[in-house]
């Protein structure tokens, strides 16, 4: 653990905030305001040379303060270019450090086991930073974790002024100077003596030098006070001010908006419950994302599509992003790139990670959010079912002719080795049948095998390995639950639902094979049935999707044949909202009795509890919940 360094220099305290006019400075201080002495420009704000900054950096177990914890705090106090003190310590997060965090930062579970808990470190940090201006690189991340820690431990969050070096860098540095505003990139640009290493104190020291480099750049813009610096990062650009007229004709209704350039190319697609308010925000100082500001500079037109409900706007946004693939949208641009876990169709089937769901008679599990999650889910299935993991082509004729070879897993007893005849085709077919049953909906074999392994590892005090097994099981359960929920909706020829609207009426949705086919509203005090019948009659015709997936329905089919996974998840979230009523359902809407949906809440809670104590990985029911 890095020891907390004592504060030196000027005693480590000082707000750096001087009230204008209360006290003179140097030969400006002769006389008082009542004697008619004219104030200086410095009296209009707090000069940067007098501000005490505390530059802070955190290392954590994940990216969200809601379900992750702090593992290290580093802070450096500076004023007028002089370092006043440092504070640095590891923090016990209350559970294991995930392997990918260890690979990134070098912080292991063993390193933080003897470190103080956040409830012991937090008071020291708040005292160290009292009365100062907090500085962080991507400040919303670090400040978010600190605020969450204060809330969890009963501390009121002090009213710190906050400066984000990312915001400053985006305003004072051009894309020709730096390709991005990552801390490492800025450190190289300013040639800092401290190199960022994904360790809190080292990164805080590097951020101090970056801050000083940015302040030097701010001088060329005439920025000399704290108030000017904070306002400079948030002020709208000249391009934003010049193009405010693009929002003049935008209506104040729910819908979708499209920013287009001079040639009509779609640059960005978004949605909002109030189009006018949302579009106008792009031309104000509240919009600080540099990519969006760059997009506004290229935009010459804003096209809007009015929608009757929020769900319709959300779905239309997804479809337009997938259709146009705007360069400034980052999410939902390539729904066709979904990842699936496939049980291949061959004499000796194996599990393969693929990017396409075909009508080839194979069983598919998914869609899965990332390849890493797919690999974790495949590993969990391999723990329960000893399928071969090699990729060689294998048939009975090739085996008989000795043209297949055994791999290392066969030598270790982790595979039945049908490749060299040690396991018969009939015996292997039993394993393949079990895997097929699991992918069709019965997840009990995978859960039971994982629980046995987690319990054994936890009893042997091998908590990190138990956590890895838990993560595999969680990835499998979440992937299977997602696929089963989507497949159940995609099987329905038609579903009609209604939700109470704010004005006393109803919002209506017609869903066919998982695709939103129509949306509308019913006015307050009107009879709903005529509106429902009219909406059904005018709804889009949707043909059953082709292909094979859990339940025999393709979830990766093109939108013209059904719905994408993201669209169906939008519909399911809407159906889960309070007050939603089912008007009509054509066909059974069910999930498998022994499927993963019944275990999803349990695995999420078990995963969240893992940060409380190291023993948490083996807690939970000894058998599946249903």
């Amino acid at each position: 653990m890095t020891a907390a360094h004592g504060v030196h220099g000027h005693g480590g305290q000082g707000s750096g905030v001087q009230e204008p006019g209360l006290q003179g400075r140097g030969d400006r201080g002769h006389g008082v305001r009542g004697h008619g002495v004219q104030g200086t420009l410095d009296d209009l704000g707090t000069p940067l040379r007098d501000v005490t900054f505390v530059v802070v950096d955190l290392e954590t177990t994940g990216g969200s303060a809601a379900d992750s914890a702090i593992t290290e705090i580093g802070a450096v106090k500076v004023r007028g270019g002089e370092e006043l003190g440092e504070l640095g310590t590891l923090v016990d997060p209350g559970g294991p450090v995930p392997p990918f965090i260890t690979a990134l930062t070098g912080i292991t579970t063993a390193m933080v086991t003897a470190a103080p808990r956040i409830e012991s470190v937090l008071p020291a940090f708040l005292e160290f930073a009292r009365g100062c201006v907090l500085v962080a690189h991507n400040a919303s991340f670090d400040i978010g974790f600190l605020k969450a820690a204060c809330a969890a431990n009963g501390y009121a969050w002090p009213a710190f002024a906050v400066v984000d070096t990312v915001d400053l860098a985006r305003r004072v540095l051009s894309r020709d100077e730096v390709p991005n505003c990552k801390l490492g990139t800025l450190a190289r640009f300013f040639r800092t003596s401290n190199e960022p290493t994904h360790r809190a104190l080292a990164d805080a020291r590097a951020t101090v030098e970056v801050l000083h480099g940015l302040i030097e750049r701010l001088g060329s813009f005439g920025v000399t006070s704290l108030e000017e610096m904070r306002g400079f990062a948030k002020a709208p650009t000249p391009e934003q001010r010049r193009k405010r007229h693009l929002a003049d004709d935008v209506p104040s209704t729910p819908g979708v908006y499209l920013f287009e350039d001079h040639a009509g190319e779609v640059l960005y697609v978004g949605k909002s419950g109030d189009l006018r308010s949302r579009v106008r925000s792009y031309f104000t100082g509240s919009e600080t994302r540099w990519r969006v500001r760059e997009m506004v500079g290229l935009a010459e037109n804003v096209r809007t599509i009015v929608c009757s409900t929020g769900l319709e706007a959300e779905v239309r946004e997804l479809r337009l992003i997938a259709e146009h693939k705007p360069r400034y949208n980052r999410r939902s641009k390539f729904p066709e790139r979904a990842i699936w876990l496939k049980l291949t169709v061959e004499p000796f089937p194996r599990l393969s990670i693929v990017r396409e769901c075909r009508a080839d008679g194979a069983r598919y599990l998914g869609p899965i959010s990332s390849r890493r999650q797919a690999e974790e889910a495949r590993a969990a299935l391999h723990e329960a079912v000893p399928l071969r993991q090699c990729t060689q082509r294998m048939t009975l004729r090739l085996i008989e002719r000795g043209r297949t070879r055994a791999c290392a897993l066969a030598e270790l007893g982790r595979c039945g080795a049908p490749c060299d005849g040690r396991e018969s085709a009939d015996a292997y077919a039993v394993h393949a049948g079990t895997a097929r049953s699991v992918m069709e909906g019965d997840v009990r074999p995978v859960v039971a095998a994982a629980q046995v392994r987690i319990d054994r590892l936890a009893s042997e005090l091998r908590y990190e390995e138990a956590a890895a097994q838990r993560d595999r099981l969680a990835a499998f359960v979440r992937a299977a639950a997602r696929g089963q929920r989507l497949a159940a909706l995609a099987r329905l020829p038609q579903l009609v639902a209604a939700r109470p609207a704010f004005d006393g009426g109803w919002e209506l949705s017609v869903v066919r094979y998982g695709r939103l086919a129509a949306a509308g509203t019913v006015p307050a005090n009107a009879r709903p049935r005529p509106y429902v019948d009219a909406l059904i009659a005018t709804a889009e015709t949707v043909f059953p999707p082709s292909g094979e997936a859990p339940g025999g329905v393709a979830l990766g089919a093109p939108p013209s044949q059904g719905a994408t996974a993201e669209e169906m998840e939008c519909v399911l979230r809407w159906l889960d909202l309070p007050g939603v009523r089912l008007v009509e359902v054509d066909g059974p809407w069910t999930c498998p009795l022994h499927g993963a949906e019944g275990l999803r809440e349990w695995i999420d809670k078990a995963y969240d509890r893992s940060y409380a104590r190291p023993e948490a990985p083996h807690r939970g029911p000894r058998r599946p919940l249903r």
Side-chain angles (χ1 to χ4, degrees):
M1 181 181 69
T2 305
H5 296 281
V7 178
H8 55 82
H10 292 272
Q13 294 300 331
S15 67
V17 178
Q18 178 185 352
E19 296 187 39
L22 294 182
Q23 180 179 354
R25 180 172 290 276
D27 49 8
R28 290 185 282 111
H30 299 292
V32 293
R33 194 173 291 275
H35 289 176
V37 176
Q38 181 177 354
T40 67
L41 291 177
D42 285 345
D43 290 333
L44 298 177
T46 308
L48 290 174
R49 63 175 177 270
D50 296 334
V51 178
T52 304
F53 295 103
V54 170
V55 181
V56 62
D57 187 82
L58 304 180
E59 300 301 334
T60 65
T61 58
S64 171
D67 53 18
S68 302
I70 298 171
T71 58
E72 189 176 29
I73 293 180
V76 181
K77 183 178 294 187
V78 293
R79 183 172 61 227
E82 178 185 357
E83 181 180 320
L84 305 181
E86 292 182 340
L87 183 148
T89 179
L90 291 169
V91 180
D92 180 5
V97 178
F100 71 95
I101 294 294
T102 298
L104 178 67
T105 66
I107 299 175
T108 65
T109 302
M111 292 171 62
V112 298
T113 299
R117 299 292 295 270
I118 188 62
E119 53 263 30
S120 301
V121 176
L122 192 59
F125 171 78
L126 293 177
E127 178 62 24
F128 181 76
R130 183 166 58 90
C132 302
V133 176
L134 291 186
V135 180
H137 197 73
N138 190 18
S140 60
F141 175 86
D142 302 276
I143 302 303
F145 270 90
L146 291 171
K147 285 183 176 179
C150 284
N153 291 279
Y155 291 96
W157 176 250
F160 288 118
V162 177
V163 173
D164 192 339
T165 50
V166 172
D167 288 342
L168 285 178
R170 288 172 179 168
R171 293 305 310 274
V172 304
L173 300 176
S174 67
R175 294 296 299 276
D176 294 332
E177 294 175 298
V178 291
N180 56 63
C181 291
K182 296 179 181 178
L183 181 58
T185 303
L186 298 180
R188 287 190 295 272
F189 177 78
F190 288 113
R191 300 179 181 178
T192 63
S193 59
N194 294 285
E195 181 181 354
T197 60
H198 290 292
R199 293 298 301 270
L201 194 54
D203 287 6
R205 289 167 177 164
T207 305
V208 168
E209 296 187 66
V210 169
L211 173 66
H212 289 159
L214 293 172
I215 290 176
E216 184 178 351
R217 280 297 191 94
L218 285 170
S220 63
F221 292 90
V223 175
T224 60
S225 69
L226 174 63
E227 291 74 15
E228 289 175 321
M229 180 171 71
R230 296 184 67 197
F232 185 83
K234 303 298 182 182
T237 64
E239 283 290 337
Q240 287 177 298
R241 289 193 293 267
R242 185 174 65 84
K243 296 190 177 182
R244 285 176 178 171
H245 68 279
L246 296 180
D248 289 347
D249 298 327
V250 176
S252 296
T253 58
V256 180
Y257 55 91
L258 300 88
F259 280 86
E260 300 173 331
D261 64 9
H262 67 282
E265 178 188 352
V266 177
L267 301 173
Y268 185 82
V269 177
K271 68 176 188 307
S272 178
D274 186 339
L275 287 172
R276 182 176 180 81
S277 175
R278 183 68 185 98
V279 172
R280 290 182 68 180
S281 71
Y282 284 91
F283 307 103
T284 66
S286 62
E287 181 54 75
T288 60
R289 294 171 293 176
W290 70 267
R291 280 178 57 85
V292 173
R293 288 188 170 192
E294 183 180 73
M295 180 273 295
V296 169
L298 297 175
E300 296 295 337
N301 181 50
V302 178
R303 178 160 56 96
T304 59
I305 301 175
V306 175
C307 299
S308 55
T309 67
L311 175 60
E312 182 186 1
E314 190 172 3
V315 169
R316 283 187 179 274
E317 178 195 34
L318 290 174
R319 294 178 184 174
L320 288 168
I321 291 174
E323 177 185 354
H324 295 286
K325 296 179 173 37
R327 71 177 89 164
Y328 289 97
N329 282 97
R330 290 185 172 179
R331 300 182 59 185
S332 309
K333 290 170 66 172
F334 303 101
E336 66 275 9
R337 294 182 182 177
I339 297 175
W340 303 80
L341 188 60
K342 174 182 180 179
L343 182 66
T344 59
V345 181
E346 52 185 321
F348 296 90
R350 60 185 179 86
L351 295 172
S352 177
I353 297 175
V354 298
R355 286 192 173 273
E356 186 178 2
C357 184
R358 299 179 178 178
D360 55 4
R363 305 310 302 171
Y364 291 83
L365 181 72
I368 304 176
S369 57
S370 68
R371 186 173 184 86
R372 185 177 68 85
Q373 291 295 312
E375 290 171 348
E376 294 275 21
R378 179 170 62 177
L381 191 48
H382 275 145
E383 293 289 349
V385 185
L387 295 175
R388 68 185 181 98
Q389 300 183 38
C390 60
T391 58
Q392 62 180 320
R393 182 169 174 268
M394 191 180 300
T395 64
L396 288 174
R397 178 174 296 182
L398 292 175
I399 294 173
E400 292 171 356
R401 294 181 178 181
R403 294 187 179 179
T404 55
R405 61 187 185 279
C407 61
L409 290 177
E411 301 301 326
L412 294 173
R414 298 286 304 277
C415 178
C419 51
D420 62 3
R422 276 181 272 181
E423 183 176 46
S424 67
D426 292 339
Y428 191 88
V430 173
H431 301 322
T434 303
R436 190 173 293 107
S437 174
V438 167
M439 298 180 75
E440 288 174 352
D442 188 355
V443 301
R444 289 177 296 176
V446 175
V447 176
Q451 287 181 335
V452 169
R453 195 170 180 85
I454 290 172
D455 288 344
R456 178 176 62 80
L457 293 170
S459 66
E460 296 173 359
L461 306 183
R462 296 159 63 184
Y463 297 122
E464 291 190 20
E465 295 176 66
Q469 291 293 325
R470 176 210 61 208
D471 292 345
R472 289 180 179 179
L473 177 59
F476 173 82
V477 168
R478 289 167 179 164
R482 184 189 188 202
Q484 289 163 13
R485 276 171 58 85
L486 298 182
L489 183 65
R491 279 193 295 265
L492 296 177
Q494 180 168 288
L495 179 149
V496 183
R499 176 174 180 253
F502 291 109
D503 60 0
W506 293 89
E507 295 180 358
L508 300 178
S509 296
V510 178
V511 181
R512 292 174 175 171
Y513 296 110
R515 181 176 173 86
L516 183 65
T521 58
V522 179
N525 302 320
R527 293 179 59 245
R529 192 68 231 184
Y531 290 88
V532 172
D533 293 340
L535 195 65
I536 293 174
T538 57
E540 175 188 1
T541 299
V542 182
F543 296 100
S546 61
E548 294 293 333
V553 178
L555 304 182
S560 60
Q561 297 179 327
T564 64
E566 281 189 281
E567 178 174 334
M568 285 191 283
E569 286 179 327
C570 288
V571 172
L572 287 170
R573 283 195 299 270
W574 185 83
L575 291 171
D576 286 339
L577 292 174
V580 172
R581 300 183 184 181
L582 297 181
V583 180
E584 294 181 9
V585 179
D586 184 3
W589 187 17
T590 61
C591 283
L593 176 62
H594 300 295
E597 182 65 18
L599 295 171
R600 187 178 57 170
E601 182 177 357
W602 164 65
I603 199 67
D604 287 342
K605 289 181 178 179
Y607 191 86
D608 291 341
R609 284 201 305 269
S610 67
Y611 292 109
R613 296 301 314 159
E615 296 84 1
H618 71 276
R619 293 178 182 171
R622 295 290 177 177
R623 56 187 179 276
L625 299 180
R626 37 166 109 165

